[in-house]
Amino acid sequence: EAGVAQSPRYKIIEKRQSVAFWCNPISGHATLYWYQQILGQGPKLLIQFQNNGVVDDSQLPKDRFSAERLKGVDSTLKIQPAKLEDSAVYLCASSSPRGTLTTNEKLFFGSGTQLSVL
Amino acid sequence: TQLLEQSPQFLSIQEGENLTVYCNSSSVFSSLQWYRQEPGEGPVLLVTVVTGGEVKKLKRLTFQFGDARKDSSLHITAAQPGDTGLYLCVRRRNAGGTSYGKLTFGQGTILTVHP
């Protein structure tokens, strides 16, 4: 079974530039998450999709971050313009093969995109 | 804010030693998961605990859920270099109705096992 695919693996940009990350979840997974992980810390949820609808974006800095999940499959996360403090690993995860979340739902993570903002 | 406190934050030990990491909250968990994240990779689920007092074993790893479901521990026996990584506890709010089961991650314990 193919896992969660993310690209690019690494990205280096200068502050005020734009950047986009792509995620292809496990086939059939209805729920897709984007997390931001600062080095040595736990992941912080940015946005959660259920199919192609947003169910939680309370921690997404909407003045500069945007995300979409057209057709309820692939997703892109964009930062425009980037700031130094955006340097982090951006993780995509998927879950819910049956389309509804349960208490014991297992998340499957991609390997992440490591972003460095100079 | 329902926070998860993990301790210790860092742990550096020699191969063969035993260790325990802790995850605590002031709120009751509906369920708790432990993930391990190796450098350059995403977290991978180790275990889910649901029932207060529950103990689960995964080879040399023993997971315990507190009776009151407010805390959990992970004990590793005879640690090996392959156990090196970031250990994360994750709580999930009850799913159902309009709730989509929001996850809260602890800040993690960075474990280094030296050969």
Side-chain angles (χ1 to χ4, degrees):
Chain A
E1 179 183 70
V4 176
Q6 288 190 248
S7 67
R9 192 77 172 86
Y10 304 93
K11 191 72 177 179
I12 301 174
I13 61 173
E14 295 186 348
K15 60 183 179 183
R16 291 187 290 274
Q17 286 188 324
S18 301
V19 64
F21 313 126
W22 173 81
C23 173
N24 185 13
I26 292 174
S27 177
H29 279 193
T31 309
L32 185 147
Y33 310 78
W34 281 103
Y35 286 91
Q36 180 192 58
Q37 186 175 27
I38 304 295
L39 183 63
Q41 297 182 15
K44 168 190 160 186
L45 179 68
L46 294 175
I47 190 166
Q48 177 179 343
F49 292 94
Q50 183 76 1
N51 297 307
N52 61 347
V54 175
V55 299
D56 188 346
D57 63 356
S58 57
Q59 299 189 90
L60 187 73
K62 299 179 184 66
D63 58 334
R64 298 184 300 106
F65 286 65
S66 65
E68 60 181 11
R69 190 185 184 197
L70 300 176
K71 301 181 181 178
V73 182
D74 293 7
S75 179
T76 55
L77 176 70
K78 297 180 181 178
I79 308 175
Q80 180 180 10
K83 293 184 176 182
L84 297 177
E85 58 262 35
D86 298 332
S87 294
V89 174
Y90 291 84
L91 293 165
C92 178
S94 70
S95 70
S96 312
R98 292 176 299 281
T100 56
L101 282 173
T102 64
T103 300
N104 302 336
E105 205 72 32
K106 174 180 179 179
L107 264 64
F108 294 82
F109 284 86
S111 297
T113 295
Q114 185 171 329
L115 174 67
S116 297
V117 182
L118 306 177
Chain B
T1 302
Q2 297 171 334
L3 296 176
L4 287 182
E5 298 287 338
Q6 285 192 244
S7 62
Q9 188 174 356
F10 301 96
L11 197 52
S12 180
I13 62 173
Q14 293 297 127
E15 182 175 3
E17 293 184 9
N18 301 331
L19 66 112
T20 302
V21 298
Y22 301 91
C23 178
N24 296 283
S25 173
S26 58
S27 303
V28 174
F29 304 141
S30 57
S31 69
L32 185 132
Q33 296 179 324
W34 285 93
Y35 286 77
R36 178 172 64 209
Q37 184 176 19
E38 298 183 9
E41 298 297 329
V44 175
L45 179 67
L46 296 174
V47 77
T48 300
V49 287
V50 179
T51 305
E54 184 175 5
V55 176
K56 284 191 174 180
K57 292 191 175 183
L58 182 64
K59 297 182 179 178
R60 294 175 294 101
L61 279 61
T62 301
F63 304 86
Q64 187 160 3
F65 203 14
D67 291 340
R69 290 162 52 217
K70 290 185 177 181
D71 58 272
S72 180
S73 64
L74 159 58
H75 181 79
I76 302 179
T77 303
Q80 299 177 0
D83 296 326
T84 293
L86 176 67
Y87 287 80
L88 296 158
C89 65
V90 183
R91 68 166 286 175
R92 182 183 287 279
R93 188 178 65 197
N94 279 330
T98 57
S99 167
Y100 287 92
K102 183 174 181 177
L103 296 173
T104 302
F105 278 80
Q107 79 275 22
T109 293
I110 299 174
L111 170 65
T112 304
V113 182
H114 301 279

